Amino acid sequence: MASRLGNVLIVEDEAMLVFELTGALTEMGYDVLEPAATGEDAVRLAEKHRPDVVVMDVSLSGEMSGTQAAQVIHDRLRIPIVYLTGYANRATIAEIRMAGGGEVLGKPLEIKQLDAAIQQALERRRGNQGNLRFDGA
């Protein structure tokens, strides 16, 4: 079944939050892909499924942080990232900018803000794809 709004990969290591996000985003009309709990899984699943947008927790279990995974996903696939964090300090914001930027949302999360951030990311992606086609790249 084709997504009405877009395919979303959730990268979050808190199972209850994954459950809540999946339910809310599905209800809004997004196709939510198999979630990832580590940065390594995020990269693997992004390469496998090529989502339209990734919702990425900055702080993940495992060896690869959310910003490190986002950097790889951005560099290899040019998929927009919406970041989730419980604590955004200057160092975290600098890491996010180095990883390719994106909207940063604080936890606890407002679903309407997440929806708006995803829509903005999807619009940026559509605009970038249009520019690439126009330039012949």
Side-chain angles (χ1 to χ4, degrees):
M1 181 173 100
S3 171
R4 293 170 282 168
L5 297 177
N7 298 316
V8 179
L9 171 62
I10 297 172
V11 184
E12 171 62 60
D13 55 2
E14 292 180 39
M16 189 54 138
L17 185 53
V18 171
F19 178 78
E20 291 171 8
L21 291 174
T22 298
L25 292 175
T26 300
E27 191 172 300
M28 283 187 258
Y30 296 99
D31 284 337
V32 180
L33 304 169
E34 168 189 1
T38 67
E40 296 83 1
D41 284 343
V43 171
R44 180 180 57 78
L45 291 171
E47 288 177 333
K48 178 180 177 183
H49 296 293
R50 307 289 173 136
D52 297 310
V53 65
V54 175
V55 175
M56 176 79 70
D57 186 11
V58 172
S59 179
L60 296 170
S61 5
E63 303 225 358
M64 183 181 278
S65 73
T67 52
Q68 291 168 327
Q71 177 79 54
V72 173
I73 291 167
H74 179 266
D75 289 350
R76 290 185 191 168
L77 306 170
R78 296 293 184 218
I79 297 170
I81 311 287
V82 175
Y83 294 90
L84 307 178
T85 184
Y87 182 73
N89 58 26
R90 287 181 187 195
T92 302
I93 299 301
E95 284 180 37
I96 289 168
R97 285 189 182 134
M98 295 278 300
E103 185 77 26
V104 180
L105 301 176
K107 293 180 185 177
L109 190 59
E110 292 288 329
I111 294 298
K112 287 183 179 183
Q113 287 179 325
L114 178 60
D115 182 33
I118 291 172
Q119 286 298 315
Q120 287 177 341
L122 290 170
E123 287 301 316
R124 279 194 312 272
R125 181 178 176 120
R126 288 179 190 118
N128 288 340
Q129 288 175 343
N131 290 339
L132 289 175
R133 280 193 290 269
F134 180 78
D135 294 337

